[in-house]
């Protein structure tokens, strides 16, 4: 009875979560420009999630309430000036989280291939492609990988609407990592960037994400900021209130030659580095490590982990990884409680699946992994704990919680973590059988 009452209370709390408006506020001296988030209506009274920019660049987020009858721009600008300081100067020194150069100081970004893997979501894909075609990057191509298509809808969309501007590639084997490897093989750029079909890319996304490669030959990978495009359902607000996909607003460089002192599990806590909807690799480096493990990722029994696998493999090869909040995409979060359940289980499974993949493909990392295992288990317990509300912060801040995380989702994450290695091995067997059948 107590468990049932607790479950009912969690459901009540979930359903009581209200919608939040999404907006952008650009501060430039005494001036402020307020505009709705991509695809959102104009800002009115009520609760608003605000991305704050200075000179066009993201510097923070805030959650504010605009009183009825008040001027939204004035209210939000006053809060932003009080709470969102200018971006801090880069840190320096051994193991520091530095950012050795801004995009504008790094020279012209290299020729880049932007890859989107998709499956039967032509409407979302069109929105993402429109935002990619509006990029200010000087030299790039767009590659759409149609993964295990059931219909010809994606191919027809690309041929009808985008003609010579987008390359279409079909990959019959299901799985996100397989599709990304197909995109990697087709890429002509010095850098290959990956995003998803459910995002809207900021106009400077590709430039900010790839320009650092021109300045730093040791850089193997870069990742960027992911913020919510809409917060209209309880599921979307709950996910974002627990950090969503955001990694904060401080640029950071991860160097395997100088492991960060505040990351004792480095490099195995790859979820801290970024996410697959906003990542780029030096093409030769990603090919050198063999691309992504095809037995990981959405669409396989492993359920996820393909992006994390790529991060760790590049770092383990001695290359640096940089996170930059200036490279922004807006992500359309899933909308229902059932979506959250699927996502929670998939996160847990993908986490342990990618760790299994790393150790299977790079057994030399096993001693380092075992040395970090006790702390890793403690970290896993923290990740899957029933998390209560914390004061302060706003959605989009890393490790900030503005709504309690339900026990049901915590249990699903733990179950997923137990299943992950099994799922990975099943995915490997299925892939091997498919290859043998093709032969």
């Amino acid at each position: 009875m107590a468990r049932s009452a607790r479950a009912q209370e969690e459901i009540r709390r979930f359903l009581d979560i209200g919608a939040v408006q999404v907006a952008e506020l650009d501060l430039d001296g005494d001036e402020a420009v307020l505009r709705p988030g991509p695809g959102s209506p104009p800002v009115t009274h009520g609760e608003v999630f605000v991305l704050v920019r200075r000179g066009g660049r993201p510097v923070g987020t805030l959650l504010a309430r605009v009183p009825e009858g008040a001027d939204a721009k004035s209210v939000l600008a006053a809060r932003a000036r009080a709470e969102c300081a200018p971006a801090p100067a880069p840190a320096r020194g051994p193991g520091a989280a530095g950012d050795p150069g801004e995009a504008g100081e790094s020279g012209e970004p290299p020729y880049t291939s932007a890859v989107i893997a998709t499956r039967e979501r032509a409407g979302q894909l069109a929105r993402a492609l429109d935002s990619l075609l509006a990029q200010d990057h000087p030299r790039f191509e767009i590659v759409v990988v149609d993964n295990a298509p059931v219909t010809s809808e994606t191919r027809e969309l690309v041929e009808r609407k985008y003609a010579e501007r987008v390359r279409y590639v079909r990959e019959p084997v299901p799985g996100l990592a397989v599709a990304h490897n197909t995109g990697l093989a087709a890429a002509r750029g010095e850098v290959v960037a990956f995003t998803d079909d459910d995002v809207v890319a900021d106009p400077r996304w590709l430039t900010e994400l790839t320009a650092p490669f021109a300045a730093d030959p040791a850089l193997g990978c870069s990742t960027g900021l992911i913020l919510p495009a809409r917060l209209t359902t309880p599921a979307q607000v709950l996910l974002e209130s627990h950090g969503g996909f955001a990694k904060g607003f401080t640029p950071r460089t991860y160097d395997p030659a100088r492991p960060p002192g505040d990351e004792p599990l480095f490099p195995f806590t790859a979820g801290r580095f970024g996410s697959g909807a906003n990542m780029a690799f030096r093409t030769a480096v990603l090919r050198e490590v063999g691309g992504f493990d095809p037995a990981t990722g959405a669409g396989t029994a492993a359920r996820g982990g393909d992006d994390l696998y790529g991060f760790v493999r590049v770092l383990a090869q001695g290359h640096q990884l940089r996170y930059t909040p200036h490279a922004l995409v807006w992500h359309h979060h899933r909308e229902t409680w059932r979506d959250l359940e699927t996502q929670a289980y998939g996160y847990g499974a993908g986490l342990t699946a990618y760790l299994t993949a790393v150790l299977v493909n790079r057994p030399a990392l096993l001693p380092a992994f075992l040395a970090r295992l006790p702390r890793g288990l403690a970290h896993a317990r923290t990740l899957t704990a029933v998390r209560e509300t914390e004061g302060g912060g706003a959605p989009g801040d890393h490790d900030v919680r503005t709504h309690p995380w339900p026990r049901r989702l915590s249990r699903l994450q733990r179950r997923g973590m137990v299943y992950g290695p099994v799922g990975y091995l099943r995915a490997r067997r299925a892939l091997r059988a498919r290859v043998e059948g093709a032969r």
Side-chain angles (χ1 to χ4, degrees):
M1 288 292 292
R3 182 174 298 178
S4 175
R6 185 187 301 150
Q8 290 177 4
E9 175 62 18
E10 287 193 336
I11 292 172
R12 185 194 65 76
R13 284 183 178 185
F14 174 76
L15 294 175
D16 283 346
I17 296 175
V20 178
Q21 302 171 82
V22 177
E24 302 179 67
L25 183 72
D26 201 336
L27 300 177
D28 188 4
D30 294 333
E31 297 297 320
V33 177
L34 177 67
R35 53 185 175 270
S40 294
V43 179
T44 62
H45 66 274
E47 202 164 28
V48 189
F49 166 78
V50 184
L51 167 66
V52 181
R53 300 177 186 259
R54 288 185 184 272
R57 278 187 164 169
V59 296
T61 57
L62 59 86
L63 193 63
R65 179 168 291 278
V66 176
E68 190 168 0
D71 178 64
K73 184 172 77 170
S74 299
V75 171
L76 298 175
R79 280 283 305 273
R81 289 192 173 97
E83 297 181 17
C84 296
R92 290 288 181 261
D99 185 8
E102 303 290 356
E105 301 169 357
S106 301
E108 185 174 283
Y111 179 47
T112 298
S113 300
V115 174
I116 296 185
T118 186
R119 188 172 191 268
E120 304 301 336
R121 301 205 294 191
Q124 292 189 89
L125 175 63
R127 181 179 59 203
L129 289 176
D130 289 342
S131 71
L132 287 186
L133 289 168
Q135 295 295 298
D136 69 356
H137 193 290
R139 296 181 301 142
F140 70 100
E141 64 168 354
I142 301 173
V143 179
V144 167
V145 180
D146 195 2
N147 189 212
V150 177
T151 70
S152 60
E153 188 175 7
T154 298
R155 178 179 56 79
E156 290 171 356
L157 168 72
V158 172
E159 292 177 351
R160 180 185 71 252
K161 186 175 180 182
Y162 300 102
E164 302 298 322
R165 297 176 294 173
V166 175
R167 274 203 292 146
Y168 172 89
V169 180
R170 183 178 183 274
E171 172 48 66
V173 177
L176 185 57
V178 174
H180 279 169
N181 284 339
T182 299
L184 174 63
R188 299 166 179 161
E190 179 185 339
V191 171
V192 56
F194 297 92
T195 191
D196 293 343
D197 60 8
D198 54 3
V199 309
V200 174
D202 191 71
R204 285 194 57 79
W205 166 68
L206 201 58
T207 295
E208 297 282 5
L209 187 66
T210 62
F213 289 95
D216 187 357
L219 191 64
C221 177
S222 67
T223 62
L225 177 66
I226 303 174
L227 291 180
R230 302 290 296 274
L231 293 172
T232 55
T233 73
Q236 291 173 330
V237 177
L238 179 59
L239 176 63
E240 193 60 33
S241 76
H242 284 259
F245 299 96
K247 309 301 176 189
F249 289 86
T250 302
R252 179 157 196 171
T253 296
Y254 294 92
D255 187 347
R258 299 184 300 170
D262 62 342
E263 293 279 354
L265 302 177
F266 180 85
F268 298 107
T269 48
R272 304 284 295 191
F273 306 150
S275 299
N278 192 349
M279 62 183 182
F281 297 83
R282 199 177 297 277
T283 307
V285 168
L286 188 56
R287 287 173 177 166
E288 177 187 353
V289 300
F292 303 94
D293 187 315
T296 60
T300 71
R303 306 291 290 269
D306 53 305
D307 49 352
L308 309 185
Y309 173 88
F311 301 154
V312 173
R313 283 306 308 270
V314 166
L315 286 164
Q317 202 73 7
H319 301 280
Q320 295 177 4
L321 180 151
R322 182 167 306 150
Y323 168 74
T324 171
H326 305 138
L328 166 67
V329 298
W330 300 88
H331 183 263
H332 285 262
H333 295 347
R334 300 180 189 182
E335 298 182 354
T336 68
W337 172 261
R338 182 58 59 88
D339 290 335
L340 278 184
E341 290 184 325
T342 301
Q343 208 159 3
Y345 187 85
Y347 282 166
L351 176 64
T352 52
Y354 107 79
L355 289 171
T356 306
V358 166
L359 297 177
V360 166
N361 290 293
R362 196 119 193 285
L365 291 174
L366 183 60
F369 175 78
L370 293 176
R372 293 162 174 78
L373 187 58
R375 286 187 177 182
L377 293 173
H379 179 66
R381 285 194 295 271
T382 301
L383 282 177
T384 60
V386 176
R387 293 162 277 179
E388 295 300 326
T389 302
E390 290 182 351
D397 288 343
H398 191 64
D399 287 341
V400 167
R401 300 183 280 278
T402 53
H403 292 285
W405 189 249
R407 293 176 184 273
R408 167 69 175 166
L409 300 182
S410 294
R411 287 196 298 269
L412 284 169
Q413 280 184 284
R414 292 192 187 106
R415 291 176 190 171
M417 291 173 72
V418 172
Y419 165 80
V422 176
Y424 173 71
L425 296 176
R426 287 178 176 171
R428 279 178 66 95
R429 284 199 298 269
L431 190 66
R432 189 180 305 119
R434 184 181 291 272
V435 170
E436 291 173 354
R439 287 175 180 169

